[in-house]
Amino acid sequence: MRYNTPSYNVPWAGMNLAGDDADIGVLGVPWDNATSNRRGAAEAPANIRRCIACADPFTEDGDVIALSLKDYGDVPRDLDWARYFEHVAERARHALHHRFALFLGGDHSVGIPIIRAMSAAVSEPFGILHIDAHADLEDEFEGSRWSHACTARRALENANVHSDGYVYVGLRAPIDDDIRFLAEHPEIQVHSMRAIIDRGIPAVATDVIARLSAFKQVYITLDVDALDPAYAPGTGTPNAGGMTTRELLSLLRRVVPALNIRAMDIVEVAPPLDHADITSWLAVKVIFEMFGMLQTKWKKTDHDDNQIQ
Ligand SMILES: [Mn+2]
């Protein structure tokens, strides 16, 4: 693909928009009824797409993003929470037909139907890399089992999600059930924010890869509040003392080539709480770098496959 025109106001920065055989499937889930503090995450999918339309389709290595992409749009608003989650799971199933699925939240509760759909779509257990300030292991929060504080707990109830395939990076805000559940499940790998600072990202990434390489497929759930509010201020439940953008990118740069990342969500971006779209642009950066890493990896594996044939 040749890139020769500035892409202002061009959907997906002029990436190759294709049909059902596209490399990547994208689904927006504009839902923030489950947030416990400040809302606004429902505006993220539209705002992230708006930012992307003003970006250039390059990675920071200078690679043009030449992957094909199908955008399934947003799951339309529905005030019936159960019905909405059914629709999310149904639409997620379509996005998961692609080689890589990208889900744009929404608050973190949208991970509940998406991970359920992922569990139904695969035939064996898959790993989850959960990057977050919070463990989201509450059995119930504010009277609901679908709070954004319950996402990991609900994820672990799926047939193909096992606690020994669950890895956290960035934790620094444990509460009630988080503390109890993690004490009862020492097999869950936890890299707290303090451990990340003490050990550094390369050592953490090595442990993440060692654990999750036992799984043929891995799902990444990225809550932007894993980052320090200095880097991601536009989020509903910020927590100081988090990762830098570069630490996050460094982690992804190590784990993505080493594991088969099948799908990813980016949740809790809340544009109304943001400043100068810093947090939406962070999401754009992560998305473009992810696409670049997948593209490089697929080019190599497809080439190797062809060599074998
Ligand atoms: Mn969080």
Side-chain angles (χ1 to χ4, degrees), residues 115-130:
I115 292 170
R116 195 204 308 153
M118 172 86 179
S119 182
V122 298
S123 53
E124 59 190 340
F126 61 98
I128 294 187
L129 173 57
H130 184 145

Side-chain angles (χ1 to χ4, degrees), residues 5 8-9 13 27 53 60 73 75 84 87 98 101 176 178 191 219 229 236 243 252 270 282 306:
T5 45
Y8 301 118
N9 219 3
L27 179 67
E60 61 184 25
V75 182
Y84 189 74
H87 287 160
H98 298 266
D176 312 328
D178 300 332
H191 302 281
Y219 181 97
M243 298 167 94
L252 293 174
L282 161 77
N306 287 337

Side-chain angles (χ1 to χ4, degrees), residues 132-134 136 223 225 237:
D132 201 332
H134 313 92
D136 298 341
D223 183 332
D225 67 32
T237 46

Side-chain angles (χ1 to χ4, degrees), residues 108-262:
H108 214 156
S109 75
V110 305
I112 295 171
I114 293 169
I115 292 170
R116 195 204 308 153
M118 172 86 179
S119 182
V122 298
S123 53
E124 59 190 340
F126 61 98
I128 294 187
L129 173 57
H130 184 145
I131 307 170
D132 201 332
H134 313 92
D136 298 341
L137 282 168
E138 300 308 298
D139 193 32
E140 192 181 299
F141 198 76
E142 295 176 332
S144 174
R145 288 164 59 80
W146 287 346
S147 163
H148 69 160
C150 305
T151 305
R153 189 66 172 264
R154 295 290 86 78
L156 284 158
E157 291 168 353
N158 288 295
N160 285 320
V161 180
H162 294 184
S163 50
D164 63 357
Y166 211 97
V167 174
Y168 283 108
V169 171
L171 297 193
R172 58 187 183 281
I175 58 168
D176 312 328
D177 285 352
D178 300 332
I179 299 161
R180 276 191 292 273
F181 197 89
L182 288 173
E184 289 163 9
H185 294 275
E187 71 279 12
I188 294 176
Q189 193 179 93
V190 178
H191 302 281
S192 70
M193 206 50 235
R194 279 225 304 273
I196 293 166
I197 293 304
D198 289 347
R199 301 182 63 219
I201 288 290
V204 168
T206 300
D207 286 359
V208 171
I209 292 164
R211 175 64 66 91
L212 293 181
S213 54
F215 298 86
K216 283 197 185 135
Q217 304 186 77
V218 173
Y219 181 97
I220 298 178
T221 180
L222 171 62
D223 183 332
V224 291
D225 67 32
L227 289 140
D228 192 273
Y231 299 88
T235 194
T237 46
N239 191 284
M243 298 167 94
T244 67
T245 305
R246 287 259 60 109
E247 283 166 340
L248 173 65
L249 291 170
S250 173
L251 175 73
L252 293 174
R253 194 157 290 285
R254 285 172 165 82
V255 301
V256 173
L259 301 170
N260 179 23
I261 310 297
R262 184 67 186 73

